[in-house]
Amino acid sequence: VQWKDLLHSASFFTLSLGQALVALWFHSHRGVEGFGSRSGFPLRLATAGRVPWFYLSKALLPLNLMVVYPKWHIDASQWASYAPGLLLVGMLGVFWWTRKTWGRPWLFGLGYFVVTLFPVLGFFDQSFYRYSSVADHWQYYSIIGVIALVVATGKGICEWIQWRYWRSGTLLGLAVAVVLAAATWRRGWIYHDNITLWRDNVARNPAPWPHNNLGCALQDRGEFDGAIQQFEQALRLDANYPEAESNLGNALLLAGKPEEAMRHWEQALQLKPDFPQVQYNLGLCLARQGKLSEAIVFWEQAVRGKPRYAEAHYNLGVALEQTGRIGEAIEHYQRAVECDPDYTLARNRLARLRTIQ
């Protein structure tokens, strides 16, 4: 790698840096709710030392793969937590020391592997860290360095034994390709649909949220009883899970149990007072019971928490119109149309009230 190579590739690095800064801004301002549990540089440093070893193990031996892996619980106060990182730095140091002899390819291959993993080592915030510190697709670019080292090592071994090395290397490469192709084919069936995807994750990951995701997939298919069981299991694993409470309420409503649904929505609001979807759902149930004044309160809370909530604005407008507050109803119909220009019901009601006025 010479200076002219860096010069020729500078434009690509510049564009990449621009995209990276945009991503960092987004995750810092809009996408990192709940990241606080991983804050603190010591914890990030300990995690960063462990991450490359995880990806290296999956690259060399891709077993027990998951859509989302269990979240790590690392004690940053223990010196042993930093051992993986120290070992990694030590190995790279040895390769640097021997870079003029046997260490050069290892320094370049593993160095490339670690450097390209740097954005996902944990130093930069992103919302996915709420669920896991690692994800298979984060090493798609980095794995090139590992593959190059494995291929080069295999070629070197074949040349060293000096016995039809090209034939033995070809056969070995073909065997590896067949094994990995078969594993890929088998793994691909897990991605057949959302249900097979999350059933696999539920079987491998003991966290509550895979049960919640499986429940949503079952609900979308109309299997409400199965969805209810998954949401209940998620709450057994984590009683303070507002999204699962909300989804359980939705499934119970679809199963024809509105009273039970409302109890779970109320519990969700206790856990998370600013929850526009739950406030909207409670408003719908109360409106169906004829309790318009109570429904209006919940819908007003929903649009305060989520100003661009077209359905909430529309239903709030309907309730206000029914209670004689025409001017306020017009305002919310107008907001619904602004949020969703194709909202025909809101447009029709808005046009009718303006004609009357």
Side-chain angles (χ1 to χ4, degrees), residues 130-151:
R130 295 174 59 191
Y131 309 106
S132 180
S133 302
V134 290
D136 288 331
H137 64 275
W138 286 346
Q139 71 157 325
Y140 283 168
Y141 292 115
S142 306
I143 200 175
I144 295 171
V146 179
I147 293 172
L149 283 174
V150 170
V151 172

Side-chain angles (χ1 to χ4, degrees), residues 6 19 23 69 95 122 155 159 168 178 205 219 247 251 287 297 310 330 343:
L6 297 177
Q19 293 285 355
Y69 292 91
F95 297 148
K155 181 175 182 293
E159 292 177 342
S168 58
V178 169
N205 190 340
Q219 180 177 304
N247 290 329
V297 172
I330 290 176
Y343 207 148

Side-chain angles (χ1 to χ4, degrees), residues 48-185:
R50 183 175 172 180
V51 167
W53 293 108
F54 172 86
Y55 287 126
L56 186 60
S57 68
K58 294 299 180 183
L60 297 176
L61 200 63
L63 301 176
N64 198 29
L65 301 177
M66 302 182 199
V67 177
V68 185
Y69 292 91
K71 192 172 183 179
W72 295 344
H73 298 284
I74 299 175
D75 186 355
S77 65
Q78 299 293 323
W79 286 105
S81 300
Y82 303 94
L86 292 173
L87 178 60
L88 180 65
V89 172
M91 287 179 57
L92 292 175
V94 171
F95 297 148
W96 172 265
W97 185 261
T98 58
R99 67 187 183 279
K100 293 184 179 180
T101 55
W102 62 270
R104 183 178 182 84
W106 295 96
L107 176 64
F108 189 86
L110 291 180
Y112 169 87
F113 178 71
V114 175
V115 167
T116 51
L117 281 175
F118 183 73
V120 293
L121 292 182
F123 293 115
F124 304 110
D125 295 350
Q126 51 184 312
S127 57
F128 188 79
Y129 288 149
R130 295 174 59 191
Y131 309 106
S132 180
S133 302
V134 290
D136 288 331
H137 64 275
W138 286 346
Q139 71 157 325
Y140 283 168
Y141 292 115
S142 306
I143 200 175
I144 295 171
V146 179
I147 293 172
L149 283 174
V150 170
V151 172
T153 301
K155 181 175 182 293
I157 292 173
C158 289
E159 292 177 342
W160 179 68
I161 61 176
Q162 295 182 350
W163 181 75
R164 299 181 179 178
Y165 70 86
W166 65 271
R167 291 185 178 179
S168 58
T170 300
L171 292 175
L172 179 60
L174 181 60
V176 170
V178 169
V179 170
L180 292 180
T184 301
W185 179 269

Side-chain angles (χ1 to χ4, degrees), residues 67-68 187-203 209-223 230:
V67 177
V68 185
R187 180 68 182 165
W189 283 105
I190 295 169
Y191 294 85
H192 180 269
D193 55 43
N194 281 340
I195 293 179
T196 59
L197 183 72
W198 294 116
R199 280 198 192 282
D200 177 75
N201 214 189
V202 162
W209 60 265
H211 290 279
N212 180 69
N213 289 2
L214 177 56
C216 291
L218 291 169
Q219 180 177 304
D220 290 342
R221 187 179 283 188
E223 300 179 21
Q230 293 300 322

